Amino acid sequence: MVRALKTLHLAIPLFFLSATTIQVDELYRAVFFCAVLPATLFLICRERKSFFTNTPSAFWVGAALLTYLFASTLWSTDITSKVAIRHLRWLIGTGIFICCMYIIGRDILENRRPFRHIAHAIVLFATVATLATYMLDGLYPARLTGPGFLSHAIQGPSALISLWAIGFIDRTPFDRRNALLTITATSMLLAYTLLTQSRGPLITLIVAIILYSALYLRSLYSLKLWPLIMLPMVTLGALITQIEWAFFQELLDRGSSFRLVIWKHTLSEASNHWLFGAGVATNLRETSAGLAVLNEVGINPEHPHSIIISMLYYGGVVGLGLFCIFSGLLLRGLICARLTGTGIACMISLITTFLLMSSDGYRLTSGPSPMWLTFWAPFALSLAYIAHHASKKQLAVNSPPYPQGLRSD
């Protein structure tokens, strides 16, 4: 058991690092399937009793949501056995990743293992490496993309922002070393996100920085590092002054990136499958909604670009209802738990996730992809915090108020 847990603590950072810094996709997939997956299955089987102790109800609703979405492949358009098997693999892979992050989260919280500096070091290395390659190759002012999970101009920064945000779900002291690393990683993440020209992730990151700054301002002041809290904004301001106006003109010219048109036609199509949805395996590009968007604005959307609309389109009222119950139970669990710094950090990470997914949400099951970092990692760690708090509460109830030898009959 100890060896399998150590394997996870080594394999997950390696998975995140290889997925955001190396062009060869087979490497991070090999890390997941050869190390993360078997270690997680071993721990679940070996510690099945303790694993399911104090498991939050949101965990089971999330499992029901994923199972329902997979079941919706049965009524998807032009479904084949090959597509169904692919979605079954995605369901299993996504479920294993959620369980893995849940196990790691509980171990981090219960044993006060460091996590912040690992997550933020990966963010710093990934952003610096990608920015350096971008500048040395003379790609400016094109939209910045990178290897692996960073190959998409929107999903890439979203994945890094989520990894940065979940780094704060850590019970170890916020000392000088962690603070300096966090502030430096934040500055580079801001520069990276701006050069991707992705407005949603950039706005989300600024909101998250403000929220986390408010959470840790007292610690920064006591460490005499509070002036450095302005470093990310100074970095952003300095970068803006050096960028040509045409760069920002392109951001403004994109308007809403046809989101409103996509949402309008997708909702119109969803009304034809309002109860159970069109099915998670349905290709939006080949539906009347996708063709209508193509005829109107000249693009053929791959997905609805909103997690809420995606849930309604693919899963209908049933799928959207399960998603809302899952999210509501998770938020309720955090509110009912003791909202210490770690609990508030969980809440901020979920706010960050919802903001990122509001304009670029997609199907919740996939193979190893940015969706795992953007959506499932924050949710799994928040579930771990709720379970950790429930365990502490149960331990306090079961513990005697005074030593056993001093009890009177």
Side-chain angles (χ1 to χ4, degrees), residues 42 53 68 70 78 99 105 142-144 162 173 227 270 278 304 311 379 406:
F42 174 81
T53 301
Y68 173 77
F70 168 70
D78 299 326
C99 291
R143 297 186 76 176
L144 171 61
S162 287
M311 288 298 98
F379 275 79
L406 298 181

Side-chain angles (χ1 to χ4, degrees), residues 143 152 154 199 253-266 283-305 359-360:
R143 297 186 76 176
H152 193 279
I154 299 177
R199 294 159 298 180
D253 290 343
R254 291 212 312 268
S256 63
S257 298
F258 308 115
R259 292 290 197 277
L260 298 179
V261 176
I262 295 172
W263 294 344
K264 178 184 69 175
H265 290 292
T266 303
N283 188 347
L284 181 62
R285 288 176 171 174
E286 299 177 359
T287 64
S288 59
L291 296 176
V293 175
L294 179 63
N295 292 332
E296 183 170 345
V297 297
I299 64 169
N300 198 348
E302 183 181 359
H303 56 87
H305 288 280
S359 61
D360 201 58

Side-chain angles (χ1 to χ4, degrees), residues 354-397:
F354 281 121
L355 290 176
L356 289 171
M357 300 292 289
S358 62
S359 61
D360 201 58
Y362 194 20
R363 291 187 285 247
L364 294 183
T365 56
S366 67
S369 69
M371 176 65 72
W372 286 12
L373 258 177
T374 305
F375 189 87
W376 286 116
F379 275 79
L381 291 176
S382 296
L383 286 169
Y385 177 76
I386 296 172
H388 168 67
H389 179 266
S391 297
K392 288 180 61 179
K393 187 176 181 181
Q394 185 177 15
L395 182 63
V397 171

